[in-house]
């Protein structure tokens, strides 16, 4: 996925109108930003995918949910470039933008209560114990999500990596989150209806791997 060396990717991203470059200045102002971008007024829910890869999932979500605004976060320019190429085929899809950043900086980009929903799809597993805190479902990140989510918001996490999934369930429960939905075989579960597949989900379920999913809601500490 990393496609690390796509020549010119940083330059192409720099001129894209669908990438937000001054993301830290938007903290607390994302709703105004989307109103201006879409020529709308009012307040729509804001959904964020962290580690969106090539953006297949989030673009389908944006198509299906025109009343929601979406932000896709991706660390690598070369991967983000693929999402931009796909988005260029549908420039009318205005309710989605992209940010190239490391999720480590997420608190500098979103104000408390500013996000309505977070998606974590096939997040990097960081299998070594000494790297556990880098997992996007570790305590450190769950604490951040709790602050950034508004009252009714939650997190959906999907992966085919069973070790990462069990770590994440345990991490969420210990961190005081409520497990609203859980399945270790999503596609054979009642939750399959309406599920939007991600790029990795298509690839790994095609190889016969079972997909794990949990939806969690934060407690208010
Ligand atoms: N979500 C996509 C899917 O399900 O098809 C992509 C999954 S891919 C395994 C994980 C993606 O998350 C990669 O594109 C990676 O660059 C990105 N990523 C990993 N850690 C990240 C971080 N700390 N901040 C932003 N993006 C990250």
């Amino acid at each position: 996925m990393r496609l690390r060396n796509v020549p010119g990717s940083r330059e192409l991203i720099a001129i894209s109108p669908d990438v937000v470059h001054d993301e830290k200045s938007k903290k607390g102002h994302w709703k105004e930003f989307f109103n201006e971008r879409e020529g709308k007024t009012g307040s729509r829910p804001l959904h964020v995918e962290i580690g969106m890869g090539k953006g297949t999932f989030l673009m389908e979500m944006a198509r299906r949910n025109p009343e929601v605004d979406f932000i896709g976060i991706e660390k690598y320019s070369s991967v983000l470039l693929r999402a931009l190429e796909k988005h260029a085929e549908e420039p009318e899809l205005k309710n989605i933008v992209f940010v190239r950043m490391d999720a480590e900086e997420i608190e500098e980009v979103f104000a408390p209560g500013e996000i309505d929903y977070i998606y974590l799809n096939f997040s990097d597993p960081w299998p070594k114990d000494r790297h556990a805190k880098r997992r996007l479902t570790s305590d450190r990140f769950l604490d951040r999500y709790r602050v950034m989510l508004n009252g009714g918001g939650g997190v959906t996490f999907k992966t085919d990596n069973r070790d990462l999934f069990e770590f994440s369930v345990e991490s969420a429960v210990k961190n005081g989150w409520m497990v609203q939905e859980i399945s270790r075989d999503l596609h054979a579960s009642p939750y399959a209806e309406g599920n939007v597949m991600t790029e990795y989900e298509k690839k790994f379920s095609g190889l016969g791997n079972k997909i794990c999913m949990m939806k969690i809601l934060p407690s208010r500490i």
Side-chain angles (χ1 to χ4, degrees):
M1 170 64 86
R2 296 236 161 124
L3 308 166
R4 276 181 194 278
N5 296 313
V6 176
S9 55
R10 279 185 184 257
E11 291 76 5
L12 287 167
I13 287 167
I15 58 167
S16 169
D18 302 310
V19 178
V20 175
H21 303 286
D22 54 348
E23 64 274 6
K24 290 182 186 169
S25 75
K26 300 286 183 293
K27 180 174 177 174
H29 304 289
W30 283 105
K31 289 191 197 274
E32 292 138 62
F33 164 79
F34 274 105
N35 274 342
E36 204 167 303
R37 174 177 165 86
E38 297 174 54
K40 291 182 179 172
T41 54
S43 175
R44 292 170 303 286
L46 180 63
H47 291 198
V48 176
E49 184 181 4
I50 304 175
M52 62 149 191
K54 297 177 191 169
T56 313
F57 165 83
L58 211 59
M59 269 185 259
E60 180 56 19
M61 291 294 284
R63 278 179 213 113
R64 289 190 190 189
N65 301 283
E67 74 294 351
V68 176
D69 293 324
F70 293 90
I71 298 177
I73 290 175
E74 171 53 49
K75 188 158 62 168
Y76 292 107
S77 303
S78 47
V79 183
L80 173 55
L81 186 62
R82 299 300 180 224
L84 293 179
E85 285 168 353
K86 278 194 213 133
H87 188 265
E89 294 164 16
E90 283 178 85
E92 67 284 0
L93 208 58
K94 291 281 183 208
N95 60 330
I96 182 168
V97 291
F98 307 103
V99 179
R100 191 188 65 76
M101 62 173 275
D102 191 322
E104 289 289 349
E105 299 191 339
I106 201 157
E107 282 166 304
E108 295 171 51
V109 175
F110 298 101
E114 191 166 26
I115 301 179
D116 292 276
Y117 211 84
I118 294 173
Y119 304 99
L120 305 172
N121 291 319
F122 295 79
S123 309
D124 290 356
W126 293 106
K128 292 184 179 147
D129 283 348
R130 70 173 188 277
H131 292 146
K133 66 178 187 180
R134 296 186 196 174
R135 296 173 194 152
L136 294 180
T137 48
S138 67
D139 260 5
R140 277 181 338 124
F141 280 100
L142 291 173
D143 285 342
R144 293 167 179 164
Y145 305 152
R146 176 184 284 110
V147 173
M148 294 182 304
L149 281 169
N150 80 24
V155 176
T156 294
F157 172 59
K158 293 196 279 188
T159 183
D160 69 321
N161 184 318
R162 193 63 185 261
D163 289 342
L164 177 63
F165 189 69
E166 300 310 335
F167 165 87
S168 304
V169 175
E170 196 180 321
S171 170
V173 171
K174 275 194 192 152
N175 197 275
W177 291 61
M178 193 192 98
V179 180
Q180 187 185 31
E181 291 180 10
I182 187 163
S183 172
R184 290 173 177 80
D185 189 0
L186 171 63
H187 297 175
S189 80
Y191 306 125
E193 200 184 323
N195 176 52
V196 174
M197 295 243 259
T198 81
E199 187 117 353
Y200 270 60
E201 186 172 354
K202 283 180 199 153
K203 179 171 152 189
F204 290 119
S205 62
L207 293 172
N209 297 4
K210 289 193 181 3
I211 306 302
C212 302
M213 180 280 298
M214 69 171 178
K215 284 190 183 185
I216 54 172
L217 302 176
S219 57
R220 300 283 151 196
I221 293 173

